[in-house]
Amino acid sequence: MSGATERLIERLAADAEPVGRLRAPALRAALWLLAVAAVGGIVIAGFSDLDVFARRAQDPKLVVEMIATLATGIAAVLAAFELSLPDRAAGWTWLPLPPLAVWIATSGYSCYRHWIAFGPDGWELGESTDCFRFILSVSVPLGITLMLLLRQARPLAPVRVAAVGGLGVAAIAACLLQFFHPFDVTVIDLSVHAVAVAIVISVSSLWARWSERRGEEAARP
Amino acid sequence: MPPESSRDLARDREWSASMAAAQNGDRAAYERLLREILPFLRALAARQHRVPDRIEDVVQDVLLTVHRVRHTYDPARPFSHWLAAIARRRSIDALRRRGRTEAAEVSDEKAYETFADPRAKDDREARDRAGGLGAAISSLPRGQREALELLKLRQLSLAEASRESGKSVASLKVSVHRAIRALRAKFMGGER
């Protein structure tokens, strides 16, 4: 054995304080999602116009879109917790893709229908700037709490974990948005939503890359 | 690499129990485990690296990572699988780092030979140069000076230097690279 490796093992063993084992990733994901559901429920009950939402919810397309959005969020959050552990398959990355495809397809169909109904007006910028601000501002607190939890595992591939977690956060924000969004989306609205989601994913990934580069705790046993 | 034969399974159960004990603070079990996994780690690293020093660097990196993420091991799951996933990741990181370093540096074997000009061997000139070098090193920013001292003067391995300074292996590499570039610019007027 090389002397340096020998010395390293001695030092690591001397430094082996008891550590708290992380709970199962599915349980950790479920606890975070429940906390978000509780806070989201209070905000919806307190601030959204549920009568308008109830009328819009009679459209099965909206229901499918919301279920797909929520499923994307749940799947991405679960995948991010799994991926944060060293021995979980990289295949978890693809878990949110099927509901994401349904989400994109139903939103796209809604835009198309809107465009047919309203002609060129269907291209107008609706309340997009508000939606944009909503998705970003809801994503910030959700994103920070989720990233802090994911970092507990000190993931070996932090950028992938942050990107998948970012998708989850943005999808949950987009789902909550439906309660405060009393109209169908236009093409421009959809693009604005997509840009907001992309920003959340990019910021999460960049943050993870930046902290990985700093590697402040990387070599500190 | 999931355990396959019954011998592998027995070994895996033993390692898993040692890691569970280590998570509870059993230092002796942990030290024994780290020693026992060395051949396994060297064999994995040797699949992607040929140079023994490099293999040892990867092994040390894996040991540091195991230490850092030991709270993520779930004793209900195979230990070798968890360990191999970490080893593979660190091995690939080392390959990437090597790729980046080799793209940025040149190797000149003749640089190690003495100069044909006898004046180059003059003690006084060497002393002057050493004095100048000492002053140049002292003028470097603290982080660069520390990286240079640990890695080049004391010749510690990256893992050891990283432990001693509390800085990551990657940041030490960057600091020492910058330090050498600064010294080169000072003494050779920016020549490579």
Side-chain angles (χ1 to χ4, degrees):
Chain A
M1 192 193 300
S2 102
T5 309
E6 170 69 22
R7 284 196 299 279
L8 178 64
I9 289 178
E10 282 167 10
R11 271 183 263 174
L12 293 179
D15 186 52
E17 299 294 329
V19 286
R21 244 172 250 146
L22 284 183
R23 279 182 282 195
L27 178 65
R28 299 175 67 223
L31 289 175
W32 185 81
L33 286 164
L34 278 176
V36 170
V39 176
I42 293 170
V43 173
I44 289 167
F47 299 100
S48 76
D49 190 340
L50 286 172
D51 291 338
V52 173
F53 177 74
R55 270 201 304 281
R56 291 182 65 229
Q58 285 167 2
D59 179 358
K61 195 235 32 129
L62 178 78
V63 177
V64 172
E65 184 181 334
M66 280 191 70
I67 290 173
T69 314
L70 187 61
T72 306
I74 293 172
V77 169
L78 173 62
F81 274 100
E82 292 281 352
L83 289 166
S84 69
L85 299 174
D87 55 346
R88 305 305 157 106
W92 280 102
T93 313
W94 313 119
L95 184 71
L97 290 195
L100 177 64
V102 177
W103 175 21
I104 292 171
T106 46
S107 313
Y109 175 70
S110 164
C111 296
Y112 173 72
R113 208 170 52 168
H114 197 263
W115 183 42
I116 295 295
F118 293 91
D121 292 345
W123 287 92
E124 279 180 7
L125 187 65
E127 308 285 329
S128 295
T129 48
D130 288 342
C131 302
F132 187 74
R133 275 202 293 272
F134 185 94
I135 291 185
L136 290 188
S137 52
V138 170
S139 293
V140 168
L142 293 185
I144 290 174
T145 52
L146 181 64
M147 295 305 154
L148 288 176
L149 285 176
L150 291 172
R151 275 170 62 92
Q152 285 181 342
R154 303 187 181 181
L156 299 184
V159 177
R160 180 195 295 252
V161 171
V164 176
L167 172 65
V169 161
I172 289 170
C175 185
L176 289 174
L177 172 69
Q178 291 291 356
F179 290 93
F180 301 89
H181 193 278
F183 46 81
D184 278 344
V185 287
T186 65
V187 176
I188 302 287
D189 288 333
L190 181 63
S191 318
V192 167
H193 289 193
V195 169
V197 171
I199 288 177
V200 174
I201 295 176
S202 313
V203 169
S204 319
S205 312
L206 286 173
W207 183 51
R209 188 177 290 264
W210 174 77
S211 53
E212 186 188 28
R213 287 263 162 90
R214 278 188 65 204
E216 64 280 349
E217 81 276 307
R220 243 175 248 166
Chain B
M1 189 192 299
E4 283 150 12
S5 70
S6 59
R7 217 181 92 226
D8 285 348
L9 275 172
R11 187 188 67 177
D12 193 83
R13 271 199 293 273
E14 217 171 278
W15 285 355
S16 179
S18 297
M19 188 44 135
Q23 288 175 325
N24 295 329
D26 183 341
R27 293 189 165 92
Y30 188 45
E31 188 166 345
R32 196 175 55 243
L33 173 70
L34 294 183
R35 284 182 209 287
E36 281 177 14
I37 61 177
L38 281 179
F40 180 77
L41 295 181
R42 291 202 178 106
L44 281 180
R47 289 185 187 175
Q48 278 164 319
H49 305 269
R50 296 249 168 85
V51 184
D53 278 358
R54 216 163 268 154
I55 293 175
E56 214 52 32
D57 273 354
V58 172
V59 167
Q60 290 175 12
D61 235 359
V62 176
L63 291 175
L64 282 165
T65 308
V66 163
H67 188 76
R68 195 159 56 89
V69 304
R70 66 192 190 281
H71 62 301
T72 66
Y73 174 62
D74 173 359
R77 297 170 72 94
F79 179 81
S80 343
H81 191 114
W82 180 83
L83 181 62
I86 295 173
R88 266 197 303 273
R89 178 77 203 184
R90 285 295 167 247
S91 200
I92 291 168
D93 287 348
L95 281 178
R96 285 193 186 135
R97 273 202 306 270
R98 203 176 105 204
R100 280 201 296 268
T101 314
E102 282 177 2
E105 290 180 358
V106 287
S107 166
D108 182 4
E109 286 169 17
K110 287 189 178 164
Y112 296 105
E113 293 176 5
T114 50
F115 294 99
D117 185 346
R119 279 178 303 172
K121 297 187 178 95
D122 181 48
D123 277 355
R124 189 171 159 182
E125 189 177 332
R127 273 201 307 277
D128 286 351
R129 283 214 166 214
L133 187 63
I137 290 174
S138 336
S139 70
L140 290 172
R142 197 174 144 266
Q144 292 181 17
R145 195 173 64 235
E146 186 184 33
L148 196 73
E149 282 169 2
L150 293 172
L151 293 168
K152 300 296 176 191
L153 301 183
R154 290 173 54 191
Q155 299 202 309
L156 297 184
S157 73
L158 279 163
E160 287 174 319
S162 158
R163 269 195 55 92
E164 191 149 315
S165 63
K167 289 183 178 160
S168 71
V169 167
S171 78
L172 281 172
K173 283 190 167 185
V174 170
S175 298
V176 82
H177 179 74
R178 287 188 181 147
I180 287 175
R181 200 171 54 191
L183 292 176
R184 189 184 288 138
K186 194 165 184 111
F187 287 102
M188 304 175 74
E191 282 174 44
R192 285 187 69 91

